[in-house]
Structures are given as C-alpha cells and as structure tokens.
Amino acid sequence: MVSAIDTQTLLPRRPRIAVTLGDPSGIGGEVIAKLLSNPANSERADIVLLADLSELDSARLDAGGVKVTISPESSGDAAHGIQILDDNSANQYPYTMGEVSQASGARSIHQLKRALKLVQAGEIDAIVFAPLNKSSLKLAGMTEEDELRWFANQLDFKGATSEINIAGQLWTARVTSHIGIEEVAQRITKESTLKAIELLHRLRWESGTESPRLGVCALNPHNGENGAFGRQEIDHIRPAVEAAREAGLNVQGPFPCDTIFLKRQHFDGIVTMYHDQGQIAMKLLSFDGGVTVQGGLPVPVATPAHGTAFDIVGKNLASVTSMQNAFDVAVTMAERRILKEARLVPETLSVKNGARSETVVEVLSTSCC
C-alpha cells in the first residue's frame, strides 16, 4: 500500500489543480479565498485560479481580509504555488449577490469551460469548484439533468459516471441520480449496478484505499422480502454483486437500505440505488464537511456538498471545511493518477490474495421491521 508520505516521495511532479469560484452570487469566493490563504495547500499542489483579480480581491474581503499570495506571471512553466488566470471578463456578467440570475450562472459556466480547456490541453490534473446554483445554471442554458452530465458532455465522455458523495472516510455512489422516483426501478439492472460497483471501487482506489470494502443497498423495503416487494434484488442487484465478487472485488450485498448505514464502519464505500437513499444518510453524517466528486470523468472533479448559502453571503460566516475536504480529495486522486501513469504504483482491481470477509454478511443479513 502506498501511504500519503510514500505518495509524496514517489511523485515525479506536483499535481496541477484548477480552481473556480463557483456561483459568484454565493459564498464561493469567500470559501476559496480561505482555502487559498492556507499555505499548506499551495505547498502540496500547483493551483491555477480561474478568476479576475478583482474577483479575488472581493473574495478576500468577504473572507475577512485573508492574505492570498499569487505567483508572478514570469515564474515560468506551471508556476509553483498559486497562479491566477485573469481574462478580464468579470464585467461581462453583472449579477446581484445572494440572488439567482442568468448572469451568475453564465459566469460559473464560463470559468468551468476554461478549466476544461486546460484539462484537454494536458495542463491540469484535477478541477475543484466552489458551490454552484442549479437554477442560475438552468437560466444560463445548462440543459443537462446535473453538472455531472454537463461535464461528461463537454468532454464528450460516454463512459460510466456517478455522482460520488463523501462523508469522512465513507463514499457513496448511485446507480441512478437526478431522475423522478417513478423512473428508478426500471433503471436498476445488473449492468447498471455492476458499473456503479466497479466505478466506486476504482475511485476509492484512487483516493488511497488499496482494497476497498464495498456494500450495496437494496432497492425495496426489507431487501425485497424474497420477491414479495419487488424482484430487483433477485434479478439484478444480487447478480451484479456476485459478478463483481467473481472479478475479485471486495463487495457485499444487497442489504436493507435503512440499516446499512448503521454498520458503515464495515465499508469504505456504499452503492445506493437512487439519490435520496444515500443523500439523507450522508448529509446527516456530515453536512458541514461533505464533498461531492463528479465520478468517472477523465479528470478528478470535486466540490463541497453544500450549496451557495445566499443567506450568509458577505458575512464571513462560511466554513471552509467542505471546500478544504474537496481540495484534499481532488489532490489525492490526482496524485494517484500521476503515479499510475508513471507506473510507480500498481492499480489493484481485485482483493489481495483473494481474501474475502463474510463478516459483514452475517452482521447485516437480517431484515428490518
């Protein structure tokens, strides 16, 4: 296993992280300023801030006047520390703080597109963005069901994706995401469930867990009660788990969704069947420190799990915890990908020595009442 210290020692170069301020009407500027004011962050990675200098100055004031040290433009290739790419475009997007608007949505999209161009040019290893506002994004023309699908379309990526939610050491993936409940059951198939399991396994490996322990939720109450409440567990979910185990992944399930999170210490990741099945539990576990990863994309993309918090804009009340956690996750994933590309670590896709623990099955096999 490659520890955090070993990773730093082996890295052939520092990861390069693109950072955007998110929705300019919200607390994004404040939490990014607080993030960038921590020198430990620019010591670990080279940061490219996509914002106008005027926006950074305003963000620093919102954050209580914190100091952010910007590297000189003349510092050469991939400037170490923090580099700002000011394209002098902020005045093209007039918006009001604390309000939904087309302009703030368009500003968010503009900077994310700039970040993606840097990714496509091979200049960036990961993207971290401050909270966005979905209503503003829609007003600005985003037609996709969520940001993950927008990122995938922008990158013309057709592979498996899932929004990943993180609370402490626990990660969750979803088989379905931003769709109506009436559509969920028909989208639960062996193939879609297996893809979610495989994706979560890979992402947990990229986050530094060598042999991730995964659990899988049932869809129906009481784990379906042997088909009495639906056959998704019998026909699709259990066969997907069995197929993943045959491939060497350390995965168990399906388990009743109302008890699996009570035994979360047994898992590094949990695959849920739909949005709120996992989100309710995760936000109860860690609302203030939660992170969302746009999982499966060709580049790591992370953001705080909280929203734009219009009610506290400009009051220097926003916590940097989730923003810091998102940055840490993105940097770790970028580091692992750099090491893998340099063939300095093996990507272990199966359980070491073929070991599989049945303990979790015994603990969680009982149905709920």
Side-chain angles (χ1 to χ4, degrees):
M1 178 175 177
V2 178
S3 68
I5 295 176
D6 292 332
T7 297
Q8 294 292 317
T9 302
L10 290 172
L11 276 173
R13 60 176 178 82
R14 290 154 55 95
R16 298 163 299 200
I17 312 298
V19 174
T20 80
L21 302 180
D23 189 300
S25 299
I27 59 170
E30 178 184 334
V31 293
I32 291 296
K34 291 175 178 177
L35 177 80
L36 300 183
S37 70
N38 182 351
N41 293 325
S42 55
E43 289 171 6
R44 186 179 177 191
D46 296 328
I47 299 171
V48 178
L49 176 63
L50 297 168
D52 284 8
L53 188 57
S54 61
E55 292 174 304
L56 176 59
D57 289 341
S58 177
R60 289 178 53 255
L61 291 176
D62 287 343
V66 296
K67 180 181 179 181
V68 177
T69 302
I70 301 298
S71 300
E73 292 183 11
S74 60
S75 56
D77 56 341
H80 287 317
I82 303 172
Q83 180 183 14
I84 185 168
L85 296 187
D86 182 339
D87 66 351
N88 194 31
S89 61
N91 59 2
Q92 299 175 27
Y93 303 90
Y95 58 86
T96 301
M97 296 297 289
E99 292 184 8
V100 170
S101 71
Q102 184 274 340
S104 56
R107 184 61 174 166
S108 304
I109 292 173
H110 171 75
Q111 300 295 22
L112 288 174
K113 284 184 174 180
R114 293 181 71 204
L116 290 174
K117 287 182 179 178
L118 293 175
V119 169
Q120 291 169 323
E123 298 177 18
I124 290 297
D125 299 303
I127 297 173
V128 176
F129 63 91
L132 304 175
N133 184 283
K134 285 183 169 56
S135 295
S136 294
L137 294 174
K138 295 294 184 183
L139 289 174
M142 185 179 288
T143 58
E144 292 83 358
E145 61 194 41
D146 52 33
E147 297 95 305
L148 175 57
R149 293 261 47 87
W150 181 85
F151 276 112
N153 287 340
Q154 291 294 311
L155 293 169
D156 196 26
F157 180 72
K158 308 299 183 185
T161 58
S162 173
E163 183 173 288
I164 306 295
N165 298 106
I166 304 171
Q169 295 302 307
L170 183 65
W171 292 40
T172 61
R174 308 172 193 157
V175 178
T176 68
S177 191
H178 295 104
I179 60 172
I181 288 293
E182 70 273 13
E183 297 181 50
V184 170
Q186 59 188 308
R187 295 205 193 182
I188 304 299
T189 65
K190 176 183 175 181
E191 180 184 38
S192 62
T193 305
L194 180 58
K195 285 182 178 180
I197 294 170
E198 292 172 337
L199 177 59
L200 185 56
H201 173 91
R202 176 168 63 83
L203 294 175
R204 284 308 270 127
W205 180 89
E206 288 184 353
S207 71
T209 302
E210 294 298 328
S211 297
R213 304 163 301 160
L214 305 183
V216 179
C217 286
L219 172 67
N220 298 299
H222 298 197
N223 216 351
E225 288 281 11
N226 295 315
F229 302 150
R231 293 190 55 85
Q232 283 80 13
E233 290 75 18
I234 296 171
D235 296 339
H236 302 293
I237 303 174
R238 187 169 294 116
V241 171
E242 291 171 353
R245 285 172 62 80
E246 288 173 4
L249 276 62
N250 188 356
V251 57
Q252 310 279 349
F255 301 120
C257 60
D258 59 353
T259 56
I260 188 171
F261 284 93
L262 297 176
K263 306 296 182 180
R264 59 190 178 276
Q265 71 271 19
H266 294 291
F267 305 112
D268 302 300
I270 294 175
V271 176
T272 63
M273 296 298 114
Y274 59 93
H275 185 279
D276 287 357
Q277 190 181 56
Q279 279 292 74
I280 292 173
M282 296 296 275
K283 289 190 175 182
L284 284 171
L285 290 173
S286 182
F287 182 78
D288 291 331
V291 174
T292 299
V293 170
Q294 311 297 328
L297 297 172
V299 60
V301 180
T303 188
H306 61 70
T308 48
F310 286 164
D311 57 320
I312 61 170
V313 168
K315 299 179 181 179
N316 192 21
L317 296 175
S319 170
V320 73
T321 302
S322 287
M323 195 75 250
Q324 181 65 60
N325 290 345
F327 179 84
D328 290 342
V329 166
V331 172
T332 297
M333 294 179 73
E335 289 172 342
R336 298 278 285 191
R337 290 192 181 197
I338 291 169
L339 289 173
K340 188 176 71 172
E341 290 169 1
R343 298 185 178 181
L344 294 174
V345 294
E347 180 171 1
T348 306
L349 293 178
S350 61
V351 180
K352 291 186 177 180
N353 301 320
R356 293 190 178 94
S357 170
E358 301 300 329
T359 305
V360 178
V361 173
E362 294 173 1
V363 171
L364 298 182
S365 60
T366 56
S367 297
C368 62
C369 297

